[in-house]
Amino acid sequence: YRVKYAPFKNEKNNIVGVIIVFQDITEQHKLDNMRREFVANVSHELKTPITTIKSYTETLIENEDLDEELSNRFLMVIDGECDRMARIVRDLLQLSNMDYNKTKWKKIDIDVEKLLREACMKLDLSFKEKNHSLIIDMQEDLPNVVGDKDGIEQVILNILSNAIKYTPENGEIYVTVNRVENDVVINIKDNGIGIPEKDRERIFERFYRVDKARSRDLGGTGLGLSIAKQIIEAHNGRIVLSSEYNMGTEVDIVLPIGTRV
Ligand code: ADP
């Protein structure tokens, strides 16, 4: 709280009381802290690949006679780190565009079943690589939802690839779609590593990750869930995550049917 006070005087200028104002500045404080934390996170996320690129490049420059195999390995690392920076910047730009309402949504009727099957096909290789089984169960005669096809597809791909990434080999991933009242609910469930309770409520924050090193190794930016949430909220829907540590994670993507928004 910020406290301000002033004497309260009567017509004879005698002090007869004190006025005290308590101003709640916790919200403002929280926002300031979040902004500072975000800038620190962005700087750190970009600094790591830059340091790596710099040291590998220097080694290449200083050692002209490095054998070809080794120098190729160095170049591959540099290439990978450039890709990482490009992903971070791409995700940040997308978030910033949404923050400033600059994203042009092209809202059309979407056949959710078709979109989901296409998304699963796109990830077919990732499923096979980890030998996961994919079990799809969709209610018949689902109503269409109105939305931006690329946006909704991005959300589905994101949640599905998290399920693939954070589930050890030979896992099971269930995708179910149902109409619940005036919503279409896409449920994506895995039996993977799960999310500890202490991390659960912060998991949609930008750059928040349970295990930074693991996420980085898997090519993550820590921005996927915050992007997904923002896209779904721009469609008047919501994302609900529940998880049990070491048991698995379940995500509901809830999208309203019917009217164009
Ligand atoms: P990342 O790029 O790190 O995957 P996300 O924003 O998509 O970023 O997810 C944030 C963090 O949430 C991940 O780093 C991971 O710790 C956790 N997470 C997301 N989905 C799952 C899941 N299905 N199972 C376990 N942990 C998950």
Side-chain angles (χ1 to χ4, degrees):
Y1 288 96
R2 180 181 290 143
V3 185
K4 286 181 190 161
Y5 57 91
F8 186 62
K9 295 172 181 171
N10 65 9
E11 56 276 14
K12 290 183 189 138
N13 225 17
N14 297 324
I15 296 176
V16 292
V18 187
I19 303 169
I20 305 178
V21 180
F22 294 94
Q23 191 186 1
D24 185 351
I25 54 166
T26 39
E27 267 314 303
Q28 186 57 41
H29 220 84
K30 253 197 240 158
L31 281 175
D32 283 348
N33 275 341
M34 271 168 71
R35 189 178 47 81
R36 269 194 283 268
E37 199 180 284
F38 177 70
V39 173
N41 278 334
V42 175
S43 320
H44 181 76
E45 294 296 331
L46 290 175
K47 196 178 152 213
T48 316
I50 288 172
T51 310
T52 313
I53 291 171
K54 181 75 185 158
S55 66
Y56 279 79
T57 318
E58 271 174 7
T59 314
L60 283 167
I61 292 171
E62 282 160 16
N63 301 280
E64 280 171 22
D65 47 358
L66 216 61
D67 82 76
E68 201 181 314
E69 203 196 313
L70 197 59
S71 50
N72 273 337
R73 268 219 325 260
F74 284 11
L75 286 171
M76 296 288 278
V77 175
I78 294 171
D79 192 46
E81 294 300 293
C82 284
D83 287 344
R84 171 194 302 289
M85 287 202 291
R87 279 198 301 275
I88 296 171
V89 173
R90 178 203 61 197
D91 286 357
L92 283 173
L93 274 175
Q94 189 180 1
L95 278 167
S96 157
N97 278 334
M98 288 194 281
D99 285 345
Y100 289 102
N101 287 323
K102 280 200 283 190
T103 310
K104 297 258 175 300
W105 303 112
K106 222 172 92 197
K107 299 208 171 163
I108 57 163
D109 279 317
I110 300 175
D111 177 344
V112 182
E113 170 169 355
K114 188 156 162 258
L115 189 63
L116 257 166
R117 291 200 192 275
E118 281 167 8
C120 291
M121 292 251 282
K122 285 191 184 172
L123 293 175
D124 192 45
L125 202 65
S126 317
F127 276 107
K128 290 212 169 92
E129 267 169 7
K130 293 196 73 179
N131 203 29
H132 289 324
S133 353
L134 168 66
I135 301 109
I136 303 180
D137 181 10
M138 298 200 211
Q139 184 189 321
E140 274 174 47
D141 298 324
L142 277 171
N144 286 347
V145 300
V146 177
D148 182 276
K149 197 164 167 246
D150 293 340
I152 304 291
E153 178 178 65
Q154 189 185 351
V155 174
I156 295 169
L157 286 173
N158 199 296
I159 305 293
L160 261 180
S161 41
N162 277 350
I164 297 172
K165 282 195 296 188
Y166 300 108
T167 300
E169 287 191 1
N170 308 312
E172 284 173 1
I173 293 163
Y174 292 84
V175 176
T176 49
V177 189
N178 281 296
R179 177 183 179 156
V180 181
E181 293 173 3
N182 289 322
D183 297 316
V184 168
V185 181
I186 304 168
N187 177 278
I188 295 171
K189 187 174 169 206
D190 64 61
N191 62 347
I193 61 173
I195 299 167
E197 199 193 334
K198 66 172 174 49
D199 299 299
R200 238 169 273 154
E201 73 174 274
R202 298 195 60 189
I203 213 74
F204 287 95
E205 284 175 26
R206 296 173 186 190
F207 291 118
Y208 194 87
R209 287 169 280 195
V210 176
D211 180 341
K212 279 207 163 74
R214 188 201 299 256
S215 154
R216 277 206 199 99
D217 288 346
L218 295 168
T221 60
L223 297 169
L225 280 182
S226 34
I227 292 179
K229 184 166 184 251
Q230 216 153 323
I231 294 177
I232 293 303
E233 284 173 357
H235 285 77
N236 297 330
R238 57 185 199 281
I239 290 200
V240 186
L241 181 145
S242 53
S243 182
E244 202 67 61
Y245 189 47
N246 279 331
M247 298 288 281
T249 301
E250 199 173 329
V251 179
D252 276 336
I253 304 167
V254 185
L255 286 164
I257 56 170
T259 50
R260 271 166 211 274
V261 279

